[in-house]
Amino acid sequence: MTPLLEIDDIYASYGGALVLDGVSLSVDEGETVGLIGRNGAGKSTTLLSIYGVPTVRGEIRVSGKALGKRQYEPASRGVSLVPQGKRIYPNLTVEENIMLGRASGRKGAWTVARLKELFPNLARASGRPGNQLSGGEQQMLAIARALMAEPQVLLLDEPTEGLAPVIIDELIDALRVIQEAGTALVLVEQHIRMVQQLATRFVALGKGRVVTQGAVGDLETRAVQQLVAL
Amino acid sequence: MNLAQVLNGLALGALLMILSSGLALIYGLRGVMNFSHGALYMLGAYLAYEVTSQGLSFWLALILAPLGLAIVGAALELGFFRRLQRRSHIEVGLVTFGIALVIDRLIVIVWGDNTLPVRAPKAVDGTTNVFGTDYPTYRLLMIVVAIAMAAALVLWLRNSRVGLHIRAASHDTETSGILGINVDRVSLVVVMLGGALAGLAGTLAAPYFSVSPGMGQSILITVLIVVVVGGIGSVGGAMAAALLLGLVQIMGNVWLPSVAVLVPYALLIVVLLWRPTGLAGKRV
């Protein structure tokens, strides 16, 4: 079976420093993969490389077809990103932020009403500008916006960063609903319990390379924990 | 100050409003302070002269000149802004300054350096009684067109899909691209619109000021001040600042004629001391 998303031997550098050194990773339809590693290991860069930030050498394929160089292309091919730091538009209302997801041009089952059901906080904050939301609400908004693009695979970059435990629980519940809808997830996380609760497989990065990978159950072993320094 | 003088201020503000909203839109999206905007305005005025001197209607010029300038805007976006988007602001600014010089020279080569007249159409050539004051109808038309343009632009930006994409891309280009917005296409729309608005302002200015080389340079500084006072990149702020500057300029002409030329700079200093990011910018 052709993987949904394939990152094939990619290299990337920032200002001359090599940050991805031959990373390969694949995601099948409907599966959840945890992408873990220390700070600076190259996790976020791996996700951003799909969008050409920074420019990469190597090939990235969606359903077996290579992605072009245009930054807007992954969204139209069913790959959506919830970026680190949320990147909500502070000048736009909650509803306008959500509607930006439709820029992908894809059609499907996610609607504003359904997203408000998934995230009731957003329903209550509908007309407010993005900069008047709490950190948790902004994270929910970033996920809702990405879902509005009708992704086949949703990339989440540190979605629990800076959130209270109770909000993290709400987020995990929402991500389970998204999994049940058949969407594949790539979860970049420091919060390893979240990876263990949601993912079936993990890929660990260190210094821009894949250092180990396997079933999520292997994360319990001392050897793997030492390797990825959790 | 009497009603006619207030209306003169609004008429000047109307022109500045049309010009500055296009400049603010382009700056918001491309981060380019387009120093060729005054030259585009002047080219619009010369196109209006050309259309009317061929015996065609001024109303037709009001359509053709903005269309022509939209095409020039497309050429600027495709030939320069898109290719130079990763270069520094100062480099791109210098390029637009060069484009302005080229347009200025081409205009002199084609139309000469004499001042050329453009007559307002007969229907708006007389005066209209406004609350007991006879006021030139053409200047009222300028005010009405500017207000209609401002309302249409704001409604379009707030309610259309493209408007939403423009507002998003103006705030964060990279995230917009990641979300699936074709930022280059949005930018093409914005720069063409900015060009068309410069063409509209030039056409409206033609019967008001006459047409001459240098008319672009003289208004460019004022429009740049409007955009800074309004809050760089803010269309709403630029519109408000344009009307304010138009009124303040006319007040200066009436009460302090010997130093009236300094009024825009004085307004710039006062506003920036009070609100360093401009009228519509966030407080720092």
Side-chain angles (χ1 to χ4, degrees):
Chain A
M1 191 176 72
T2 308
L4 184 56
L5 175 66
E6 291 170 277
I7 292 173
D8 189 2
D9 196 26
I10 57 168
Y11 295 78
S13 51
Y14 278 121
L18 194 65
V19 285
L20 295 182
D21 187 8
V23 170
S24 293
L25 164 73
S26 73
V27 183
D28 288 331
E29 267 181 38
E31 79 163 337
T32 296
V33 177
L35 187 59
I36 58 178
R38 293 179 182 181
N39 280 337
K43 307 181 298 291
S44 297
T45 308
T46 301
L47 298 191
L48 286 172
S49 68
I50 296 168
Y51 299 88
V53 188
T55 307
V56 294
R57 187 157 54 84
E59 194 167 78
I60 296 166
R61 294 182 287 274
V62 179
S63 302
K65 280 190 178 172
L67 268 181
K69 298 287 180 199
R70 298 181 191 282
Q71 201 167 50
Y72 60 82
E73 194 182 330
S76 66
R77 300 271 303 274
V79 182
S80 288
L81 173 68
V82 178
Q84 190 173 24
K86 304 153 192 109
R87 297 207 197 173
I88 291 303
Y89 292 92
N91 54 329
L92 303 181
T93 65
V94 166
E95 198 138 330
E96 287 173 333
N97 267 287
I98 293 175
M99 286 310 294
L100 282 174
R102 278 284 184 251
S104 71
R106 293 170 64 83
K107 299 229 178 337
W110 290 108
T111 59
V112 174
R114 194 171 159 214
L115 288 165
K116 285 178 179 173
E117 259 176 51
L118 184 63
F119 300 112
N121 285 9
L122 297 184
R124 288 190 286 275
S126 188
R128 277 159 50 195
N131 60 358
Q132 287 182 15
L133 303 182
S134 67
E137 288 169 337
Q138 288 192 2
Q139 191 58 267
M140 291 168 190
L141 180 54
I143 296 172
R145 184 178 66 184
L147 288 175
M148 200 65 175
E150 302 292 349
Q152 299 180 82
V153 55
L154 182 64
L155 316 171
L156 297 121
D157 195 354
E158 307 267 9
T160 62
E161 193 179 34
L163 300 186
V166 63
I167 304 293
I168 293 176
D169 289 343
E170 279 182 39
L171 217 53
I172 289 173
D173 290 343
L175 291 175
R176 286 212 168 101
V177 173
I178 296 164
Q179 284 177 318
E180 283 162 15
T183 308
L185 304 180
V186 176
L187 191 57
V188 166
E189 253 312 331
Q190 300 275 357
H191 188 75
I192 208 66
R193 295 276 161 240
M194 188 166 178
V195 174
Q196 289 175 316
Q197 286 182 60
L198 291 168
T200 48
R201 214 155 54 78
F202 78 94
V203 175
L205 295 183
K207 294 182 180 171
R209 292 176 174 205
V210 175
V211 290
T212 184
Q213 55 186 313
V216 158
D218 296 348
L219 284 170
E220 296 293 347
T221 68
R222 183 179 293 270
V224 170
Q225 285 184 2
Q226 280 177 345
L227 202 53
V228 299
L230 297 174
Chain B
M1 208 160 85
N2 59 36
L3 180 62
Q5 288 160 339
V6 171
L7 290 171
N8 280 341
L10 288 177
L12 175 61
L15 266 188
L16 295 175
M17 191 157 88
I18 298 170
L19 263 178
S20 59
S21 47
L23 193 61
L25 271 173
I26 294 171
Y27 183 86
L29 198 75
R30 275 293 187 218
V32 175
M33 193 48 93
N34 179 19
F35 292 112
S36 67
H37 212 65
L40 299 182
Y41 155 82
M42 179 167 65
L43 187 55
Y46 274 93
L47 287 179
Y49 166 78
E50 190 61 35
V51 170
T52 53
S53 68
Q54 299 294 327
L56 299 169
S57 156
F58 176 82
W59 304 114
L60 187 63
L62 214 48
I63 295 167
L64 290 180
L67 278 178
L69 267 295
I71 292 167
V72 174
L76 286 182
E77 164 65 15
L78 298 174
F80 299 99
F81 297 161
R82 188 171 296 182
R83 288 159 192 260
L84 299 173
Q85 59 183 302
R86 302 203 195 288
R87 305 299 287 264
S88 73
H89 291 191
I90 188 77
E91 286 174 315
V92 185
L94 280 172
V95 168
T96 64
F97 194 72
I99 292 166
L101 293 177
V102 170
I103 293 174
D104 283 2
R105 192 85 317 246
L106 286 174
I107 281 174
V108 172
I109 290 168
V110 174
W111 285 287
D113 52 10
N114 293 328
T115 300
L116 303 170
V118 175
R119 282 202 64 112
K122 281 202 173 75
V124 289
D125 206 16
T127 59
T128 298
N129 191 286
V130 183
F131 300 115
T133 303
D134 285 331
Y135 191 75
T137 308
Y138 183 74
R139 293 186 199 176
L140 291 174
L141 172 78
M142 286 169 60
I143 297 169
V144 169
V145 168
I147 291 170
M149 180 283 304
L153 187 59
V154 168
L155 283 173
W156 180 67
L157 286 173
R158 290 211 171 277
N159 298 314
S160 73
R161 188 166 181 263
V162 180
L164 179 62
H165 291 181
I166 290 171
R167 286 188 291 147
S170 297
H171 185 80
D172 182 346
T173 309
E174 188 177 286
T175 303
S176 299
I178 287 171
L179 288 173
I181 295 172
N182 183 343
V183 176
D184 280 343
R185 193 158 61 195
V186 169
S187 183
L188 180 63
V189 170
V190 163
V191 180
M192 287 178 75
L193 178 64
L197 289 173
L200 176 66
T203 308
L204 284 173
Y208 186 39
F209 294 128
S210 297
V211 178
S212 63
M215 66 184 286
Q217 282 173 21
S218 62
I219 205 162
L220 177 65
I221 300 295
T222 311
V223 175
L224 290 175
I225 289 173
V226 164
V227 170
V228 174
V229 166
I232 294 177
S234 164
V235 176
M239 288 174 175
L243 288 178
L244 177 67
L245 186 64
L247 287 170
V248 171
Q249 179 70 68
I250 297 299
M251 282 160 66
N253 292 349
V254 173
W255 291 326
L256 301 163
S258 57
V259 291
V261 70
L262 299 178
V263 163
Y265 305 97
L267 182 70
L268 176 69
I269 291 166
V270 169
V271 170
L272 291 188
L273 284 175
W274 169 53
R275 281 184 76 102
T277 53
L279 295 177
K282 288 180 185 159
R283 286 180 189 276
V284 291

